[in-house]
Amino acid sequence: VDAPVVELSALVSDSGAVCQPLHQDTTIEVQTYTAFIALQDIDESMGPTLLLPGTHTEIAHRLFDHPSTKDEFVSEREVKLGTMGQGDVVIMDSRCIHAGGANSSDRRRVLFYFTMRHPLCYAYQVCAHPLHLQPTSTQTSLDYGFLRRGRGN
């Protein structure tokens, strides 16, 4: 499957960062998947991502987005913490409800991440998610060699 990369960045949470509000990154129609790669061990004190599994669905979005059902909906959900060892990878559906946790440690939390778009999403013109990485007429994919070569090479 040819899933184009639409984002490539680092997520940084400094010591003292507050918890994000719960949110989803895209609407229900947009199918993108984000791979988070831990650049160091991430424990609970560093504010790992809070994930609510199974909330990538249309019904979950309707319940979460409506003021009269949001609190009950959230209180009944299972919460997973994105604690990770250095080099671990978590892949998240961008429609999943989540939040960055509060960083109460004295350390900075850094995740390298990239987001891939489902190839049919663009084909059917239902994606509202803009491409952050625009291929040129001569470039149709990214060179991932820098990941293998390492720093300074």
Side-chain angles (χ1 to χ4, degrees), residues 31-45:
Q31 289 182 280
T32 60
Y33 306 91
T34 300
F36 296 102
I37 304 166
L39 299 182
Q40 80 277 355
D41 291 341
I42 298 173
D43 62 36
E44 289 186 33
S45 70

Side-chain angles (χ1 to χ4, degrees), residues 131-146:
L131 284 174
H132 293 274
L133 294 174
Q134 297 280 350
T136 65
S137 59
T138 59
Q139 175 191 352
T140 57
S141 63
L142 294 173
D143 174 9
Y144 299 104
F146 70 95

Side-chain angles (χ1 to χ4, degrees), residues 22 50-55 73-74 77-80 96-98:
L22 286 169
L50 310 170
L51 302 160
L52 280 63
T55 59
F73 172 76
V74 170
R77 299 282 73 80
E78 174 186 18
V79 176
K80 295 282 188 179
C96 179
I97 297 169
H98 65 284

Side-chain angles (χ1 to χ4, degrees), residues 17-94:
V18 298
C19 186
Q20 289 181 320
L22 286 169
H23 65 282
Q24 58 272 49
D25 289 342
T26 60
T27 63
I28 198 67
E29 300 85 14
V30 179
Q31 289 182 280
T32 60
Y33 306 91
T34 300
F36 296 102
I37 304 166
L39 299 182
Q40 80 277 355
D41 291 341
I42 298 173
D43 62 36
E44 289 186 33
S45 70
M46 296 174 76
T49 304
L50 310 170
L51 302 160
L52 280 63
T55 59
H56 62 290
T57 66
E58 184 175 353
I59 187 70
H61 281 221
R62 274 193 268 133
L63 292 169
F64 179 75
D65 291 339
H66 198 280
S68 68
T69 55
K70 182 175 185 171
D71 290 343
E72 183 179 355
F73 172 76
V74 170
S75 70
E76 293 174 349
R77 299 282 73 80
E78 174 186 18
V79 176
K80 295 282 188 179
L81 288 180
T83 54
M84 304 165 71
Q86 183 177 8
D88 286 351
V89 177
V90 169
I91 298 176
M92 180 190 79
D93 186 319
S94 63

